[in-house]
Amino acid sequence: MRIDLHAHSTASDGTRTPAQVVADAAAAGLDVVALTDHDTTAGWAEAAAAVPAAGVALVRGTEVSARSRGISIHLLSYLQDPSHPALVAELERTREARLHRAERIVELLARDHPITWQDVLDQSADAVVVGRPHVADALVARGVVPDRDAAFVELLRADGPYHVPHYAPDAPDAVAAVRAAGGVPVFAHPGADARGRVVPDEVFDELAEAGLAGIEVNHRDHSPAQRARLGAIADRLGLLVTGSSDYHGDGKQNRLGENLTEPRVLAAIEEQGTSEVVRP
Ligand code: AMP
Ligand code: ZN
Ligand code: FE
Ligand code: FE
């Protein structure tokens, strides 16, 4: 069983439609893929409709933005009730904040580079969530940088001159909101220290107390040292360990299936979650 529980579509900042992500999963030889767009469930229906033709099982999820000690973190929510009012309202609030924040980033960039808000809208036509990768695509389209990676390294990184943070719920509240919606919360890439600051060990204790189910230990942005650290934390707190690609289509190097999750871990997630896994 090849199980990859983290992928993005054009509903957020991936470059492939939800149906294409499911087809890509089949082409990559996966048995199970999770669609986890940032702060939205907008891609769920299209992805589920693609399951019979692709012959791949689908775990429906969301990558929820949150914040801990001023550090931006991501929480994967699996199999939640997508209509749960509190979580729906929280995601809506974050999407709204992301929109204003992206406009502000463009204002700052426009002082030094040829870019307009319309450029970003052109790059995010199918998206219900606007992120820095769309700003990156606009910069690429204008010839300012060659690709998304270069846009982040030179202009959009968290400690860069054009960075603007956005509202996101406090991490323990986000964990509790996911659980209240019947979702299974897994801390996404918590050791991605090349991207910026990562949270200290005691945050995992706080989140476990709030209902955290697992840690995404195996992710390409984790060094061997981070994997060892996170594996030990998961052991100590009795949390599930996942591994996933964080596929964004052509937008990033990440390839489907490059990291995998064990079947018994998926079984535990399915057991704890409210929504069904969509099977072919
Ligand atoms: P945002 O959610 O708008 O803050 O943007 C975060 C998204 O940008 C995530 O999907 C990341 O995968 C992507 N991202 C963050 N840092 C980098 C980086 N250094 N290079 C490429 N993509 C990045
Ligand atoms: Zn993303
Ligand atoms: Fe993430
Ligand atoms: Fe992601």
Side-chain angles (χ1 to χ4, degrees):
M1 282 271 276
R2 287 167 52 81
I3 303 165
D4 183 337
L5 295 181
H6 188 162
H8 298 266
S9 75
T10 49
S12 66
D13 57 6
T15 63
R16 304 282 284 161
T17 64
Q20 287 169 339
V21 169
V22 173
D24 290 352
L30 293 180
D31 299 289
V32 184
V33 68
L35 183 71
T36 54
D37 279 303
H38 297 280
D39 302 309
T40 185
T41 59
W44 282 23
E46 184 187 316
V51 163
V56 173
L58 172 71
V59 173
R60 292 167 293 179
T62 300
E63 187 170 13
V64 178
S65 302
R67 206 164 285 285
S68 172
R69 292 161 167 70
I71 300 170
S72 162
I73 67 146
H74 289 166
L75 200 64
L76 292 157
S77 170
Y78 295 117
L79 303 174
Q80 76 268 24
D81 168 3
S83 65
H84 187 271
L87 186 57
V88 165
E90 194 54 70
L91 295 179
E92 167 81 45
R93 183 175 174 191
T94 299
R95 291 198 302 270
E96 186 68 18
R98 279 175 160 283
L99 194 59
H100 295 303
R101 170 262 202 156
E103 287 180 299
R104 183 78 191 122
I105 291 174
V106 170
E107 275 174 31
L108 294 176
L109 281 167
R111 294 176 182 171
D112 304 319
H113 301 283
I115 182 173
T116 67
W117 181 238
Q118 185 59 46
D119 292 344
V120 175
L121 294 178
D122 291 346
Q123 296 299 329
S124 58
D126 297 337
V128 298
V129 181
V130 182
R132 283 179 291 163
H134 299 115
V135 179
D137 290 347
L139 292 164
V140 173
R142 286 279 187 179
V144 176
V145 287
D147 54 38
R148 275 188 183 184
D149 281 341
F152 272 91
V153 171
E154 294 172 29
L155 302 168
L156 299 175
R157 64 180 191 279
D159 61 350
Y162 305 104
H163 189 69
V164 180
H166 62 77
Y167 162 81
D170 194 37
D173 296 342
V175 168
V178 167
R179 280 290 190 191
V184 185
V186 172
F187 197 162
H189 50 70
D193 48 16
R195 283 197 204 171
R197 284 193 301 151
V198 299
V199 299
D201 288 10
E202 61 266 25
V203 168
F204 293 85
D205 296 80
E206 265 173 42
L207 298 188
E209 181 74 19
L212 188 70
I215 303 177
E216 188 182 54
V217 172
N218 295 309
H219 184 286
R220 75 151 56 205
D221 292 351
H222 287 165
S223 63
Q226 282 292 355
R227 289 180 201 221
R229 168 193 172 232
L230 296 168
I233 292 172
D235 247 19
R236 175 167 67 79
L237 295 172
L239 298 171
L240 301 171
V241 167
T242 71
S244 296
S245 66
D246 206 353
Y247 180 63
H248 281 69
D250 306 324
K252 295 181 82 172
Q253 307 292 317
N254 311 33
R255 293 299 97 193
L256 281 166
E258 66 179 29
N259 282 293
L260 297 170
T261 295
E262 287 174 25
R264 60 170 185 82
V265 173
L266 174 60
I269 289 171
E270 198 169 355
E271 171 82 30
Q272 293 177 36
T274 290
S275 287
E276 301 292 320
V277 174
V278 183
R279 295 208 153 78

